[in-house]
Amino acid sequence: MDPNKMNDDGDMASVMGFSGFGKKARTFDLDAIFEHTRRTAIERSQRVLGKFISNFRSGCKYLRIVFSFLFRKHESDSSHDSDTDTELIGPPVPHQNTAQDDDDDDELVGPPLPPGYTGSTAHCEDEDEDDQEGQDDDDDNPVKKIPDTHEITLQHGTKTVSALGLDPSGARLVTGGYDFDVRFWDFAGMDQALQAFRSLQPCECHQIKSLQYSVTGDVILVVSGNAQAKVLDRDGFNVMECVKGDQYIVDMANTKGHTAMLNCGCWHPKIKEEFMTCSNDGTVRTWDLNSEKKHKSVFKPRSLQGKKVTPTCCTYSRDGKLIAAGCQDGTIQIWDRNLSVHTKFHCRQAHTPGSDTSCLSFSYDGMTLASRGGDDTLKMWDIRNFRKPVNAATGLTNYFSMTDCCFSPDDKLLVTGTSVKRDEGSGKLVFFDRATFQRVYEIDVTDASVVRCLWHPKLNQIMVGTGNGLAKVYYDPVKSHRGAKLCVVKSKPKKKQAETLTQDYIITPHALPMFREARQRSTRKQLEKDRLDPKKSHKPEPPVSGPGRGGRVAAHGGTLSSFIVKNIALDKTDDSNPREAILRHAKDASENPYWVAPAYKQTQPEPVFAEESDEDEESNKEPEWKKRKI
């Protein structure tokens, strides 16, 4: 090389600040580089995607994979000294040494272990898998979801609780019974005393058959033993009363309402103004809340011979398109809501004829119907094949015409209650597996029949009505929400002091007697004095004894007619012999002739009697010839 040229390059390098002048430039095949990079990225992505799919069993594993990639990239960057021109694109390849390392990488989740660590990794993995399997088993086992660890008891009365209703939000519970009472319970407003905030008798002397909140929870349907259903608002005030039909009309479709005792009723699950009732007059009627003068439509159950049968229970399907009724002849009849003439599904021998089917309940998926019969059975039906039941359970004693059955919120369990006679055992709440129909769980409720049961899906709490006047609520502090959990944590309020001062009193011990204030007394003593005063305490007047006083008749009666009946009209003297009755007053009449002789004393002439002579006496004698015998 020319030394002059080398000197020129050295001068140029010193001037420009860098060297390398005169060398041949490197050449790059850009297409080959891009193709190699693309293939490498695809292979990496496939490897990462396969590892991701294998570990995609839970969300936490995915996060651990991401963190493992981040840590591994940091290690790869620190130990990698390859040419920058051939640097790969995409996530780095996992560290691979041996086949054992590959197996470990496939199973391990999380950041890589420190070098030289020989801990019991497999043992930890086994424990994690066991925990996960145990959690999956708990999720798959519906019995674990039954909220029965705690309970509260609401005292409705002393007679059977025959109706339960819980609003959709789960804030209020309403109970009704054979004692004609309807009681309102507010979980958020109650304390540990568990007292109802309202009690009323909306149907006077009729037993309550059914209570249900509407789909919006603003009104309550009350079905009792009379022929007219009522609708109350949330506070118990009357909103509507159904009209009563004409009992002398033969065709029940031509009457405006029911003509006999009601048996059951429920709200439409989608339409908030529509509800349904069934009655002993042989009809199922739908009503509109805004038109109380007449029913909306009439469904008439019929026997195989076309005769009228009595529906004992009724319900809507979950979508509100079907109407089902259980009848006294053992049949279950289902209509399309818009076609009331002919049944859509009909089972002639669902239960024993003559037994009252007490409840019908649709599952949440709408394909299964559960029926609780008066023949001590519980049956499950598929409405698409309605000829025979899918499953049936026997030996479930039922003494009430409103014994419930319902599905669990997850649709995996079926619940019903059993009846017992007095002092012959305890009523139970029985749980059946929907798939196998095995009796999987029981709850001993009380020493009386279990009539009503309700499993609220939002609260995850079970409400039970019993035959001895109790309403029980079963819940779990972990699995349940609100409801009974709100009132058990509130303590009872303290009782107010009966002895209180009416106002603040300033004591002046050294004041003169004329300036000293009167000693303040407690209200308790004043109340005791007022109690002894008959006027201030409004003491009722005692019954009058004797002839009566102050315008009041004696204790014989409160009116003049009752007084006359008691003292005059009820004369028990015997007048069967009139001569003795007259002679009973003969002595008084002779001694004191007041009614006859004194009346004619002034006008009566003096009596003049002629003396009779001897000739007259002789003439009055009978002749001799008459005395002779002929």
Side-chain angles (χ1 to χ4, degrees):
M1 185 177 289
D2 189 3
N4 295 328
K5 188 175 181 181
M6 293 178 61
N7 294 332
D8 294 340
D9 290 340
D11 295 339
M12 183 66 71
S14 63
V15 173
M16 297 298 294
F18 57 89
S19 62
F21 294 98
K23 294 181 180 180
K24 185 178 179 180
R26 295 179 62 183
T27 59
F28 299 95
D29 189 355
L30 295 179
D31 294 336
I33 292 174
F34 285 137
E35 181 66 21
H36 179 70
T37 304
R38 186 179 68 82
R39 290 180 180 179
T40 305
I42 291 174
E43 292 176 359
R44 289 289 173 81
S45 300
Q46 289 177 351
R47 256 196 312 271
V48 173
L49 183 60
K51 191 172 183 62
F52 171 74
I53 292 175
S54 64
N55 294 321
F56 191 70
R57 291 199 302 177
S58 63
C60 64
K61 288 187 176 182
Y62 171 70
L63 294 177
R64 292 176 183 175
I65 291 172
V66 173
F67 283 115
S68 67
F69 279 134
L70 292 177
F71 282 107
R72 289 171 185 171
K73 179 175 176 56
H74 178 68
E75 286 186 356
S76 176
D77 292 342
S78 63
S79 62
H80 185 63
D81 55 353
S82 62
D83 193 2
T84 56
D85 296 332
T86 61
E87 188 173 359
L88 299 178
I89 298 176
V93 180
H95 183 65
Q96 298 177 359
N97 291 329
T98 61
Q100 184 67 29
D101 293 337
D102 293 339
D103 295 337
D104 293 340
D105 288 340
D106 291 338
E107 303 221 353
L108 285 177
V109 177
L113 297 175
Y117 179 75
T118 59
S120 58
T121 308
H123 180 67
C124 296
E125 291 177 359
D126 294 339
E127 287 183 353
D128 294 340
E129 291 180 358
D130 293 340
D131 294 341
Q132 184 68 25
E133 290 178 359
Q135 186 176 359
D136 294 340
D137 292 341
D138 291 343
D139 293 339
D140 294 337
N141 189 2
V143 180
K144 300 293 183 180
K145 299 181 180 180
I146 298 176
D148 66 330
T149 58
H150 295 69
E151 67 176 75
I152 62 172
T153 302
L154 307 176
Q155 184 69 44
H156 172 86
T158 57
K159 296 186 178 180
T160 302
V161 177
S162 56
L164 283 178
L166 196 60
D167 69 340
S169 64
R172 285 188 178 181
L173 174 69
V174 58
T175 60
Y178 280 6
D179 54 358
F180 322 134
D181 287 342
V182 173
R183 294 181 182 268
F184 292 78
W185 314 81
D186 191 347
F187 290 118
M190 282 193 301
D191 52 23
Q192 291 181 358
L194 302 177
Q195 296 293 326
F197 74 91
R198 179 154 298 151
S199 177
L200 50 95
Q201 293 184 354
C203 302
E204 297 178 352
C205 58
H206 295 283
Q207 296 176 351
I208 307 299
K209 296 292 188 69
S210 176
L211 293 171
Q212 189 180 14
Y213 277 88
S214 64
V215 64
T216 56
D218 54 348
V219 287
I220 308 168
L221 174 64
V222 180
V223 175
S224 64
N226 61 354
Q228 297 171 272
K230 284 190 176 183
V231 178
L232 309 178
D233 62 3
R234 286 180 62 86
D235 296 325
F237 296 101
N238 193 16
V239 175
M240 170 194 170
E241 184 177 11
C242 297
V243 67
K244 188 175 181 179
D246 190 351
Q247 58 185 351
Y248 297 104
I249 296 179
V250 177
D251 188 1
M252 288 291 103
N254 294 329
T255 61
K256 296 180 180 180
H258 289 294
T259 60
M261 179 184 71
L262 299 177
N263 291 323
C264 186
C266 60
W267 287 96
H268 193 282
K270 303 293 183 182
I271 305 173
K272 65 178 182 179
E273 293 90 4
E274 182 179 328
F275 62 93
M276 172 175 56
T277 56
C278 65
S279 168
N280 280 352
D281 61 3
T283 61
V284 178
R285 301 175 189 262
T286 59
W287 304 80
D288 192 343
L289 189 61
N290 299 322
S291 121
E292 59 182 8
K293 298 297 182 182
K294 190 178 180 182
H295 60 257
K296 194 173 181 180
S297 59
V298 180
F299 302 86
K300 295 186 288 186
R302 289 290 182 262
S303 64
L304 184 61
Q305 295 80 16
K307 296 182 180 180
K308 180 177 70 173
V309 294
T310 300
T312 57
C313 61
C314 58
T315 186
Y316 283 100
S317 61
R318 295 288 177 176
D319 56 2
K321 295 181 180 179
L322 300 178
I323 289 177
C327 302
Q328 208 167 30
D329 62 345
T331 62
I332 298 178
Q333 305 182 25
I334 302 177
W335 296 269
D336 191 316
R337 175 177 165 270
N338 298 321
L339 299 174
S340 61
V341 180
H342 299 291
T343 57
K344 188 173 183 179
F345 305 103
H346 200 139
C347 184
R348 293 290 180 187
Q349 297 177 350
H351 292 280
T352 304
S355 63
D356 293 343
T357 303
S358 59
C359 181
L360 295 176
S361 177
F362 278 91
S363 61
Y364 286 91
D365 58 13
M367 291 293 103
T368 304
L369 176 68
S371 64
R372 183 72 164 96
D375 53 357
D376 302 341
T377 61
L378 175 66
K379 297 184 179 181
M380 191 168 64
W381 309 82
D382 189 342
I383 62 174
R384 295 166 294 186
N385 185 13
F386 206 53
R387 294 184 179 179
K388 59 180 181 179
V390 178
N391 286 305
T394 59
L396 303 173
T397 310
N398 184 8
Y399 295 149
F400 293 87
S401 61
M402 65 282 296
T403 302
D404 264 334
C405 64
C406 64
F407 285 88
S408 61
D410 59 359
D411 242 4
K412 294 182 179 180
L413 295 176
L414 186 58
V415 191
T416 188
T418 60
S419 302
V420 293
K421 293 183 179 179
R422 183 176 296 178
D423 300 330
E424 292 188 4
S426 60
K428 296 180 180 180
L429 200 62
V430 187
F431 296 80
F432 292 89
D433 189 282
R434 179 182 172 183
T436 62
F437 222 65
Q438 297 293 324
R439 186 182 293 196
V440 295
Y441 198 71
E442 289 182 356
I443 299 177
D444 288 337
V445 180
T446 183
D447 57 350
S449 302
V450 175
V451 182
R452 288 288 188 178
C453 61
L454 188 148
W455 196 335
H456 197 269
K458 289 186 178 180
L459 300 183
N460 193 23
Q461 298 178 9
I462 303 175
M463 320 290 167
V464 179
T466 65
N468 56 357
L470 302 180
K472 291 196 172 185
V473 182
Y474 291 91
Y475 68 97
D476 190 300
V478 178
K479 302 171 186 175
S480 301
H481 310 283
R482 299 178 65 82
K485 294 170 61 178
L486 299 177
C487 56
V488 295
V489 297
K490 295 182 180 179
S491 60
K492 297 181 182 179
K494 296 181 179 179
K495 294 183 178 180
K496 296 181 180 179
Q497 292 290 339
E499 186 175 350
T500 58
L501 299 178
T502 57
Q503 60 184 4
D504 295 336
Y505 179 62
I506 301 174
I507 300 175
T508 56
H510 302 292
L512 295 175
M514 61 182 302
F515 299 109
R516 192 175 300 164
E517 294 182 1
R519 182 168 174 267
Q520 187 73 13
R521 297 183 180 274
S522 64
T523 57
R524 182 175 61 85
K525 293 184 178 180
Q526 186 64 32
L527 291 174
E528 290 177 356
K529 287 185 177 181
D530 293 342
R531 183 64 181 171
L532 298 176
D533 190 349
K535 290 186 177 180
K536 290 184 179 181
S537 62
H538 301 285
K539 181 180 179 182
E541 296 182 359
V544 180
S545 60
R549 60 180 181 275
R552 297 179 62 203
V553 185
H556 298 301
T559 61
L560 180 61
S561 60
S562 61
F563 178 78
I564 293 174
V565 169
K566 187 69 177 177
N567 294 276
I568 299 177
L570 298 180
D571 189 5
K572 298 297 183 180
T573 55
D574 186 12
D575 293 337
S576 59
N577 192 343
R579 185 172 183 278
E580 290 183 359
I582 294 174
L583 293 178
R584 190 184 305 124
H585 307 284
K587 184 177 180 181
D588 295 338
S590 60
E591 294 178 355
N592 186 17
Y594 177 77
W595 296 106
V596 178
Y600 302 100
K601 188 174 181 178
Q602 295 181 358
T603 59
Q604 184 69 19
E606 294 181 0
V608 177
F609 299 101
E611 295 181 359
E612 187 175 5
S613 60
D614 297 336
E615 295 178 356
D616 294 334
E617 291 179 358
E618 292 178 358
S619 63
N620 289 334
K621 291 181 179 180
E622 188 176 358
E624 289 293 335
W625 61 271
K626 288 184 179 182
K627 295 180 181 179
R628 294 175 185 174
K629 292 181 180 180
I630 299 174

